[in-house]
Short mmCIF file of all heavy atoms in Angstrom, two decimals:
data_model
loop_
_atom_site.label_atom_id
_atom_site.label_comp_id
_atom_site.label_asym_id
_atom_site.label_seq_id
_atom_site.Cartn_x
_atom_site.Cartn_y
_atom_site.Cartn_z
N ALA R 1 91.60 97.63 117.96
CA ALA R 1 91.92 96.91 116.72
C ALA R 1 91.14 95.59 116.62
O ALA R 1 90.56 95.29 115.56
CB ALA R 1 93.41 96.65 116.63
N GLY R 2 91.09 94.81 117.69
CA GLY R 2 90.39 93.53 117.64
C GLY R 2 88.91 93.71 117.35
O GLY R 2 88.32 92.98 116.54
N GLU R 3 88.31 94.68 118.01
CA GLU R 3 86.88 94.94 117.82
C GLU R 3 86.60 95.42 116.39
O GLU R 3 85.62 95.02 115.77
CB GLU R 3 86.45 96.02 118.82
CG GLU R 3 84.97 96.09 119.05
CD GLU R 3 84.63 97.02 120.22
OE1 GLU R 3 85.54 97.65 120.78
OE2 GLU R 3 83.44 97.09 120.54
N TYR R 4 87.50 96.26 115.87
CA TYR R 4 87.32 96.78 114.51
C TYR R 4 87.40 95.66 113.48
O TYR R 4 86.55 95.56 112.60
CB TYR R 4 88.38 97.84 114.21
CG TYR R 4 88.38 98.30 112.78
CD1 TYR R 4 87.41 99.16 112.30
CD2 TYR R 4 89.35 97.84 111.88
CE1 TYR R 4 87.39 99.56 110.97
CE2 TYR R 4 89.34 98.24 110.56
CZ TYR R 4 88.36 99.10 110.11
OH TYR R 4 88.36 99.49 108.79
N TYR R 5 88.41 94.81 113.60
CA TYR R 5 88.57 93.74 112.62
C TYR R 5 87.45 92.72 112.70
O TYR R 5 87.04 92.15 111.68
CB TYR R 5 89.94 93.09 112.78
CG TYR R 5 91.06 93.99 112.32
CD1 TYR R 5 92.04 94.41 113.20
CD2 TYR R 5 91.10 94.46 111.01
CE1 TYR R 5 93.05 95.27 112.80
CE2 TYR R 5 92.11 95.31 110.59
CZ TYR R 5 93.08 95.71 111.49
OH TYR R 5 94.07 96.57 111.07
N GLN R 6 86.91 92.50 113.88
CA GLN R 6 85.77 91.59 114.01
C GLN R 6 84.55 92.17 113.30
O GLN R 6 83.84 91.46 112.58
CB GLN R 6 85.46 91.34 115.48
CG GLN R 6 84.32 90.36 115.68
CD GLN R 6 84.01 90.10 117.15
OE1 GLN R 6 84.64 90.68 118.03
NE2 GLN R 6 83.05 89.25 117.41
N LEU R 7 84.29 93.48 113.51
CA LEU R 7 83.17 94.12 112.84
C LEU R 7 83.37 94.10 111.32
O LEU R 7 82.45 93.82 110.56
CB LEU R 7 83.03 95.57 113.34
CG LEU R 7 81.90 96.40 112.73
CD1 LEU R 7 81.24 97.26 113.80
CD2 LEU R 7 82.41 97.30 111.62
N HIS R 8 84.61 94.38 110.90
CA HIS R 8 84.92 94.40 109.47
C HIS R 8 84.67 93.04 108.83
O HIS R 8 84.01 92.93 107.79
CB HIS R 8 86.38 94.83 109.28
CG HIS R 8 86.75 95.07 107.85
ND1 HIS R 8 86.98 94.04 106.95
CD2 HIS R 8 86.94 96.22 107.17
CE1 HIS R 8 87.29 94.55 105.78
NE2 HIS R 8 87.27 95.87 105.88
N GLU R 9 85.18 91.98 109.45
CA GLU R 9 85.04 90.64 108.88
C GLU R 9 83.58 90.19 108.87
O GLU R 9 83.12 89.60 107.90
CB GLU R 9 85.88 89.64 109.69
CG GLU R 9 87.37 89.81 109.51
CD GLU R 9 87.81 89.63 108.07
OE1 GLU R 9 87.36 88.66 107.42
OE2 GLU R 9 88.58 90.47 107.57
N THR R 10 82.86 90.49 109.95
CA THR R 10 81.45 90.07 110.03
C THR R 10 80.62 90.75 108.95
O THR R 10 79.84 90.09 108.24
CB THR R 10 80.87 90.40 111.42
OG1 THR R 10 81.66 89.76 112.42
CG2 THR R 10 79.43 89.95 111.53
N LEU R 11 80.78 92.07 108.80
CA LEU R 11 80.01 92.80 107.79
C LEU R 11 80.41 92.39 106.38
O LEU R 11 79.56 92.29 105.49
CB LEU R 11 80.17 94.30 107.97
CG LEU R 11 79.33 94.93 109.07
CD1 LEU R 11 79.64 96.41 109.21
CD2 LEU R 11 77.84 94.75 108.78
N TRP R 12 81.70 92.16 106.16
CA TRP R 12 82.16 91.78 104.82
C TRP R 12 81.54 90.44 104.40
O TRP R 12 81.11 90.27 103.27
CB TRP R 12 83.67 91.70 104.80
CG TRP R 12 84.23 91.70 103.40
CD1 TRP R 12 84.58 90.61 102.64
CD2 TRP R 12 84.46 92.85 102.58
NE1 TRP R 12 85.03 91.02 101.42
CE2 TRP R 12 84.97 92.37 101.35
CE3 TRP R 12 84.30 94.21 102.78
CZ2 TRP R 12 85.32 93.24 100.30
CZ3 TRP R 12 84.65 95.07 101.74
CH2 TRP R 12 85.15 94.59 100.53
N LYS R 13 81.47 89.50 105.35
CA LYS R 13 80.85 88.20 105.04
C LYS R 13 79.35 88.36 104.81
O LYS R 13 78.76 87.68 103.96
CB LYS R 13 81.10 87.22 106.17
CG LYS R 13 82.54 86.71 106.23
CD LYS R 13 82.74 85.78 107.41
CE LYS R 13 84.19 85.33 107.50
NZ LYS R 13 84.43 84.51 108.71
N GLU R 14 78.73 89.23 105.57
CA GLU R 14 77.29 89.44 105.43
C GLU R 14 76.95 90.11 104.10
O GLU R 14 75.97 89.75 103.45
CB GLU R 14 76.78 90.29 106.59
CG GLU R 14 75.28 90.50 106.61
CD GLU R 14 74.82 91.30 107.81
OE1 GLU R 14 75.46 91.19 108.88
OE2 GLU R 14 73.84 92.04 107.68
N LEU R 15 77.76 91.08 103.70
CA LEU R 15 77.50 91.81 102.45
C LEU R 15 77.98 91.04 101.23
O LEU R 15 77.47 91.25 100.13
CB LEU R 15 78.18 93.19 102.50
CG LEU R 15 77.68 94.14 103.60
CD1 LEU R 15 78.58 95.35 103.72
CD2 LEU R 15 76.24 94.57 103.32
N HIS R 16 78.98 90.18 101.39
CA HIS R 16 79.62 89.38 100.33
C HIS R 16 79.62 90.09 98.97
O HIS R 16 78.95 89.65 98.03
CB HIS R 16 79.00 87.97 100.25
CG HIS R 16 77.52 87.94 99.99
ND1 HIS R 16 76.59 88.05 100.98
CD2 HIS R 16 76.80 87.81 98.84
CE1 HIS R 16 75.38 87.99 100.47
NE2 HIS R 16 75.48 87.84 99.17
N PRO R 17 80.38 91.17 98.84
CA PRO R 17 80.45 91.86 97.54
C PRO R 17 81.10 90.97 96.49
O PRO R 17 82.04 90.23 96.78
CB PRO R 17 81.31 93.09 97.84
CG PRO R 17 82.10 92.73 99.05
CD PRO R 17 81.25 91.80 99.85
N ALA R 18 80.59 91.05 95.25
CA ALA R 18 81.08 90.17 94.19
C ALA R 18 81.87 90.91 93.11
O ALA R 18 82.59 90.29 92.35
CB ALA R 18 79.90 89.45 93.55
N THR R 19 81.72 92.23 93.03
CA THR R 19 82.42 93.01 92.00
C THR R 19 83.18 94.15 92.66
O THR R 19 83.02 94.41 93.86
CB THR R 19 81.42 93.60 90.99
OG1 THR R 19 80.57 94.55 91.67
CG2 THR R 19 80.54 92.51 90.37
N LEU R 20 84.01 94.83 91.86
CA LEU R 20 84.79 95.94 92.39
C LEU R 20 83.89 97.05 92.91
O LEU R 20 84.12 97.60 94.00
CB LEU R 20 85.73 96.49 91.30
CG LEU R 20 86.57 97.71 91.69
CD1 LEU R 20 87.46 97.39 92.88
CD2 LEU R 20 87.40 98.18 90.51
N MET R 21 82.84 97.39 92.18
CA MET R 21 81.93 98.44 92.62
C MET R 21 81.20 98.03 93.90
O MET R 21 80.98 98.85 94.79
CB MET R 21 80.91 98.77 91.51
CG MET R 21 81.50 99.49 90.34
SD MET R 21 82.25 101.07 90.79
CE MET R 21 80.81 101.99 91.31
N GLU R 22 80.85 96.78 94.02
CA GLU R 22 80.22 96.30 95.25
C GLU R 22 81.21 96.35 96.41
O GLU R 22 80.83 96.65 97.55
CB GLU R 22 79.69 94.87 95.06
CG GLU R 22 78.46 94.80 94.17
CD GLU R 22 77.90 93.40 94.07
OE1 GLU R 22 78.30 92.52 94.85
OE2 GLU R 22 77.04 93.18 93.19
N ASN R 23 82.49 96.07 96.14
CA ASN R 23 83.51 96.18 97.18
C ASN R 23 83.58 97.61 97.73
O ASN R 23 83.71 97.82 98.94
CB ASN R 23 84.88 95.80 96.62
CG ASN R 23 85.04 94.31 96.44
OD1 ASN R 23 84.20 93.53 96.88
ND2 ASN R 23 86.10 93.90 95.79
N ILE R 24 83.52 98.59 96.83
CA ILE R 24 83.60 99.99 97.25
C ILE R 24 82.43 100.35 98.15
O ILE R 24 82.60 100.99 99.19
CB ILE R 24 83.64 100.91 96.01
CG1 ILE R 24 84.96 100.70 95.24
CG2 ILE R 24 83.47 102.37 96.40
CD1 ILE R 24 85.00 101.36 93.89
N GLN R 25 81.22 99.94 97.77
CA GLN R 25 80.05 100.27 98.58
C GLN R 25 80.06 99.51 99.91
O GLN R 25 79.66 100.05 100.94
CB GLN R 25 78.76 99.95 97.81
CG GLN R 25 78.60 100.75 96.53
CD GLN R 25 78.73 102.24 96.74
OE1 GLN R 25 78.25 102.79 97.73
NE2 GLN R 25 79.41 102.92 95.82
N ALA R 26 80.56 98.27 99.91
CA ALA R 26 80.66 97.52 101.16
C ALA R 26 81.64 98.19 102.11
O ALA R 26 81.40 98.27 103.33
CB ALA R 26 81.10 96.09 100.87
N ALA R 27 82.75 98.71 101.58
CA ALA R 27 83.72 99.42 102.41
C ALA R 27 83.10 100.69 103.01
O ALA R 27 83.37 101.03 104.18
CB ALA R 27 84.96 99.78 101.58
N GLU R 28 82.27 101.38 102.25
CA GLU R 28 81.58 102.57 102.77
C GLU R 28 80.63 102.20 103.91
O GLU R 28 80.54 102.91 104.91
CB GLU R 28 80.81 103.26 101.64
CG GLU R 28 81.67 103.89 100.58
CD GLU R 28 82.32 105.17 101.06
OE1 GLU R 28 81.63 106.19 101.18
OE2 GLU R 28 83.53 105.13 101.36
N ILE R 29 79.93 101.10 103.75
CA ILE R 29 79.00 100.65 104.80
C ILE R 29 79.77 100.31 106.08
O ILE R 29 79.34 100.65 107.19
CB ILE R 29 78.19 99.44 104.32
CG1 ILE R 29 77.24 99.86 103.18
CG2 ILE R 29 77.41 98.80 105.45
CD1 ILE R 29 76.57 98.71 102.46
N ILE R 30 80.91 99.67 105.94
CA ILE R 30 81.72 99.31 107.10
C ILE R 30 82.25 100.56 107.79
O ILE R 30 82.26 100.66 109.03
CB ILE R 30 82.87 98.37 106.68
CG1 ILE R 30 82.29 97.02 106.26
CG2 ILE R 30 83.88 98.20 107.80
CD1 ILE R 30 83.26 96.10 105.57
N THR R 31 82.70 101.56 107.01
CA THR R 31 83.17 102.82 107.58
C THR R 31 82.06 103.49 108.39
O THR R 31 82.28 103.96 109.51
CB THR R 31 83.65 103.77 106.46
OG1 THR R 31 84.82 103.21 105.86
CG2 THR R 31 83.97 105.15 106.99
N ALA R 32 80.85 103.52 107.82
CA ALA R 32 79.72 104.13 108.52
C ALA R 32 79.39 103.36 109.80
O ALA R 32 79.11 103.97 110.85
CB ALA R 32 78.50 104.18 107.60
N ALA R 33 79.43 102.04 109.74
CA ALA R 33 79.11 101.23 110.92
C ALA R 33 80.14 101.46 112.03
O ALA R 33 79.78 101.57 113.21
CB ALA R 33 79.07 99.75 110.54
N TRP R 34 81.42 101.56 111.65
CA TRP R 34 82.45 101.80 112.66
C TRP R 34 82.30 103.20 113.28
O TRP R 34 82.48 103.39 114.48
CB TRP R 34 83.84 101.64 112.06
CG TRP R 34 84.94 101.90 113.04
CD1 TRP R 34 85.82 102.93 113.05
CD2 TRP R 34 85.24 101.11 114.21
NE1 TRP R 34 86.66 102.84 114.12
CE2 TRP R 34 86.33 101.73 114.85
CE3 TRP R 34 84.70 99.96 114.75
CZ2 TRP R 34 86.88 101.22 116.02
CZ3 TRP R 34 85.26 99.45 115.92
CH2 TRP R 34 86.33 100.07 116.54
N ARG R 35 81.94 104.17 112.47
CA ARG R 35 81.75 105.53 112.99
C ARG R 35 80.58 105.57 113.96
O ARG R 35 80.64 106.24 115.00
CB ARG R 35 81.55 106.50 111.84
CG ARG R 35 81.66 107.96 112.24
CD ARG R 35 81.90 108.83 111.04
NE ARG R 35 83.20 108.58 110.46
CZ ARG R 35 83.68 109.19 109.38
NH1 ARG R 35 82.94 110.09 108.77
NH2 ARG R 35 84.86 108.91 108.93
N LEU R 36 79.51 104.86 113.64
CA LEU R 36 78.37 104.79 114.56
C LEU R 36 78.78 104.11 115.87
O LEU R 36 78.34 104.50 116.95
CB LEU R 36 77.21 104.04 113.91
CG LEU R 36 76.50 104.79 112.76
CD1 LEU R 36 75.54 103.86 112.04
CD2 LEU R 36 75.78 106.02 113.28
N HIS R 37 79.62 103.09 115.75
CA HIS R 37 80.11 102.40 116.94
C HIS R 37 80.94 103.36 117.81
O HIS R 37 80.80 103.37 119.04
CB HIS R 37 80.95 101.20 116.51
CG HIS R 37 81.62 100.51 117.65
ND1 HIS R 37 80.94 99.65 118.49
CD2 HIS R 37 82.90 100.55 118.10
CE1 HIS R 37 81.78 99.19 119.41
NE2 HIS R 37 82.97 99.71 119.20
N ARG R 38 81.76 104.18 117.18
CA ARG R 38 82.57 105.14 117.93
C ARG R 38 81.68 106.20 118.59
O ARG R 38 81.96 106.66 119.69
CB ARG R 38 83.59 105.81 117.02
CG ARG R 38 84.74 104.89 116.64
CD ARG R 38 85.92 105.66 116.08
NE ARG R 38 86.46 106.61 117.03
CZ ARG R 38 87.24 106.29 118.06
NH1 ARG R 38 87.55 105.03 118.28
NH2 ARG R 38 87.68 107.22 118.88
N CYS R 39 80.62 106.59 117.91
CA CYS R 39 79.68 107.57 118.49
C CYS R 39 79.11 107.02 119.80
O CYS R 39 79.04 107.73 120.81
CB CYS R 39 78.55 107.87 117.51
SG CYS R 39 79.02 108.92 116.13
N ALA R 40 78.71 105.76 119.77
CA ALA R 40 78.13 105.15 120.97
C ALA R 40 79.16 105.10 122.10
O ALA R 40 78.86 105.38 123.26
CB ALA R 40 77.61 103.76 120.65
#
């Protein structure tokens, strides 16, 4: 949980989505990044 929330917060700040549609795409990027992390 700690590792996941750190990755989530870091990517969210880096992507800084400004609209609802940007929020959706940022969430997809975070999901993909977490899945890649689990693969490793």
Side-chain angles (χ1 to χ4, degrees):
E3 198 171 5
Y4 172 76
Y5 289 118
Q6 182 180 1
L7 180 140
H8 188 284
E9 289 300 314
T10 302
L11 280 177
W12 196 264
K13 287 177 183 176
E14 184 178 328
L15 297 170
H16 58 275
T19 65
L20 178 59
M21 289 300 294
E22 288 184 12
N23 285 351
I24 293 170
Q25 298 307 320
E28 292 286 286
I29 293 170
I30 292 169
T31 293
W34 179 248
R35 193 161 293 179
L36 289 170
H37 174 77
R38 287 196 61 77
C39 286

